[in-house]
Amino acid sequence: MQLTAEEISVLHRTFLDYRSTEDFIRNPLVLKRAEGLYYWDTEGKRYFDAIGGVFVATLGHGHPRVLSAMREQMGLMTFAPPLHGIADVTLKFVEKLGSVCPGNLKYVKPFSGGSEAVESALKFARQYFKQTGHPGKYKFISRYSSYHGGTFGGMSASGTGERKAKFEPQMPGFLKVFSPSFYRDDFGSWEEANRFAARSVEDIIVAEDPSTVAAVIVEPIGNTGGVITPTAEYFLMLRDICTRRNVLLIFDEIITGIAKTGNMFAAQTYGVTPDILCLGKGISNGAVPLAAMVAREDLASSFRGEQTDANFFAHGHTFAGNPLASAVGIAVLDEIVENKFCQKAARLGEYLRRRLERLKQIEVVREVRGKGIFLGVELVRDTKTMAPFPELGTALKRTALRNGLILRIDPSWFAVAPPLIAEESDLDEMCDLIEGSLQEALREVRG
Ligand SMILES: Cc1ncc(COP(=O)(O)O)c(C=O)c1O
């Protein structure tokens, strides 16, 4: 698309997310409208949204049930004062969300964004140990290549170098381990690489002294590392290590949450229940900001009682538990449950995986990873050396947009997570666009 001089001038007066304005101007995307599986730009060009905005539009853009829930709530109340009141609709959202969470994860604190949810989980873990006789437990262990948010706590937990280096020093008390993918070429099997990665978490806890470690925080499937998809055994091992060492296990399900992996949460798909779960993005359907932190009931009980310093969670945000957002969250969850969208994610995911596997014929695809409809494709120079091919991913960013396709593209991989209203024929359209754009990018790069 062509930007007007005025648009370029205004673009120079704003800041884009993790991206230079000059780079954006070379390959711009200014959107005007969205409906279902598609976006339209200001010139009227249509784009297939293969990533639901950015893992957000679970039910497709402008979903009628979500819009009608918003309209109804807008007529009643759009804000309730969190310090001295709570909306009735927020109480209903808390109950509904608790009813779809795994195990006894029932204690819900709603927020506006994923970073707030992660930040809150970290603070919850520290406060929990302070008031239950373990004040020395303050350290967090997370993984290199992970992403847990843009605020200082979330960023300190994150392991994406280029998003952190500019802000060093990070907060103290944040330690890192490598993810299973770091070891995959050093071991004969993916399973063994996973076992080693899980064992290294316990080694760090012991080396640091378990009485100083509060929590391990991981994304069940790590998008920023390239849709890293550990084995179920990896999570079973983490669960066991954390339980034995009295360390909380936090799942950051901001991306994997809400019906993407074949269940409401990846925790259920992996069969492992964390102590705290963070969710965001997909619960909002992109209609209004919404996220949440959910904690185990018995942890939460240490925050109850008469008003003393130890008996409330010392944390809050003005827009947390917003009534309009709560109405949206209820509509999203009802629509997913009533239409069995978790099962649909599993079924569509199998179809999508088979279609994406066909890209291997192009011989620059190393692997298709992920679960359900959240899948990623790793790009390599060739499948003998498996060397990275970042120029290809960069070219794919151009060709995809040119062909009317929105993906999440990192130079070495791309991810898809189409809205759950898609049918097989929509996935065919999407995969044809992906294949055409990848072929075109390869021609551009190889000249
Ligand atoms: C796994 C994960 N955690 C946390 C966040 C932060 O969420 P937000 O951007 O809504 O603050 C993100 C955002 O992409 C994410 O992918």
Side-chain angles (χ1 to χ4, degrees):
M1 69 179 299
Q2 288 291 318
L3 295 175
T4 62
E6 197 187 338
E7 281 170 334
I8 291 176
S9 158
V10 179
L11 270 166
H12 280 297
R13 278 181 273 131
T14 186
F15 300 93
L16 301 164
D17 279 17
Y18 300 111
R19 186 161 184 200
S20 95
T21 307
E22 278 64 28
D23 178 55
F24 179 81
I25 286 170
R26 274 194 297 278
N27 204 22
L29 181 65
V30 183
L31 297 164
K32 178 94 180 166
R33 188 166 83 80
E35 191 183 325
L37 301 171
Y38 299 97
Y39 272 112
W40 284 263
D41 70 17
T42 45
E43 293 170 350
K45 179 174 165 179
R46 195 178 81 161
Y47 298 81
F48 193 109
D49 182 11
I51 195 77
V54 57
F55 304 105
V56 163
T58 316
L59 305 170
H61 298 282
H63 192 277
R65 184 171 191 163
V66 175
L67 295 186
S68 118
M70 281 176 80
R71 274 188 214 104
E72 195 180 320
Q73 185 58 42
M74 276 157 74
L76 289 168
M77 174 172 67
T78 55
F79 183 77
L83 268 176
H84 48 271
I86 190 163
D88 58 347
V89 67
T90 304
L91 293 177
K92 288 189 190 125
F93 171 65
V94 164
E95 192 178 6
K96 182 133 292 179
L97 181 56
S99 74
V100 297
C101 285
N104 62 355
L105 289 165
K106 300 274 177 246
Y107 183 99
V108 176
K109 182 127 180 72
F111 291 107
S112 305
S115 302
E116 280 183 8
V118 167
E119 208 71 31
S120 138
L122 300 173
K123 288 177 73 176
F124 186 91
R126 279 197 180 165
Q127 189 184 330
Y128 166 73
F129 281 120
K130 278 212 162 43
Q131 64 199 18
T132 53
H134 303 280
K137 280 170 100 61
Y138 71 95
K139 294 177 190 166
F140 298 108
I141 297 175
S142 57
R143 298 190 304 218
Y144 287 108
S145 302
S146 63
Y147 184 69
H148 295 292
T151 48
F152 250 97
M155 176 176 63
S156 299
S158 300
T160 38
E162 72 279 8
R163 292 186 178 188
K164 304 176 57 160
K166 293 180 173 69
F167 308 100
E168 305 222 290
Q170 297 291 319
M171 282 176 66
F174 285 79
L175 309 160
K176 298 285 174 307
V177 287
F178 286 104
S179 73
S181 62
F182 187 77
Y183 305 106
R184 79 175 160 186
D185 295 327
D186 300 331
F187 289 94
S189 74
W190 177 236
E191 285 70 23
E192 193 47 39
N194 272 266
R195 273 176 218 125
F196 185 81
R199 280 199 297 270
S200 74
V201 173
E202 180 153 35
D203 291 341
I204 296 239
I205 293 174
V206 171
E208 288 289 329
D209 180 354
S211 70
T212 67
V213 181
V216 170
I217 175 165
V218 289
E219 298 154 90
I221 301 177
N223 177 58
T224 43
V227 192
I228 297 167
T229 313
T231 58
E233 186 188 13
Y234 171 84
F235 289 110
L236 285 167
M237 287 176 72
L238 287 194
R239 179 64 281 175
D240 174 58
I241 292 163
C242 288
T243 305
R244 282 190 289 101
R245 300 292 177 182
N246 192 22
V247 167
L248 299 180
L249 180 60
I250 304 173
F251 274 7
D252 177 346
E253 295 227 32
I254 309 286
I255 287 183
T256 52
I258 314 302
K260 288 202 181 58
T261 63
N263 287 285
M264 199 61 87
F265 297 100
Q268 291 143 332
T269 301
Y270 276 113
V272 171
T273 306
D275 302 302
I276 302 176
L277 188 151
C278 301
L279 61 133
K281 291 185 185 277
I283 185 75
S284 75
N285 208 46
V288 64
L290 178 62
M293 176 205 87
V294 191
R296 241 176 49 198
E297 215 162 12
D298 53 309
L299 297 183
S301 61
S302 83
F303 290 78
R304 291 199 200 106
E306 292 307 312
Q307 178 90 2
T308 69
D309 273 357
N311 289 332
F312 59 91
F313 183 24
H315 184 65
H317 290 280
T318 301
F319 294 105
N322 176 269
L324 195 52
S326 300
V328 165
I330 292 168
V332 170
L333 291 175
D334 282 345
E335 185 70 6
I336 288 171
V337 171
E338 284 169 26
N339 291 287
K340 298 190 169 38
F341 273 136
C342 293
Q343 291 92 319
K344 188 175 179 191
R347 176 171 57 78
L348 280 183
E350 277 175 33
Y351 184 80
L352 181 55
R353 184 182 284 273
R354 280 199 299 277
R355 281 290 323 238
L356 292 173
E357 289 282 350
R358 273 166 43 185
L359 293 174
K360 286 185 172 164
Q361 288 163 4
I362 310 178
E363 293 184 349
V364 288
V365 169
R366 175 174 185 164
E367 204 170 46
V368 179
R369 300 192 278 265
K371 284 192 186 289
I373 43 100
F374 172 28
L375 296 176
V377 174
E378 184 180 351
L379 303 171
V380 288
R381 205 162 285 279
D382 61 73
T383 47
K384 285 193 189 64
T385 63
M386 299 293 186
F389 200 1
E391 310 91 285
L392 180 62
T394 304
L396 181 61
K397 285 187 188 178
R398 284 193 300 274
T399 58
L401 280 191
R402 210 155 61 207
N403 292 329
L405 171 68
I406 298 177
L407 298 166
R408 167 78 169 88
I409 306 172
D410 189 84
S412 298
W413 51 268
F414 67 84
V416 295
L420 291 168
I421 50 162
E423 298 300 342
E424 275 83 349
S425 58
D426 300 308
L427 299 184
D428 285 339
E429 178 189 341
M430 181 183 106
C431 289
D432 289 346
L433 284 168
I434 292 174
E435 186 171 346
S437 303
L438 190 59
Q439 294 275 23
E440 234 171 278
L442 196 58
R443 279 197 297 279
E444 278 187 17
V445 171
R446 290 200 170 143

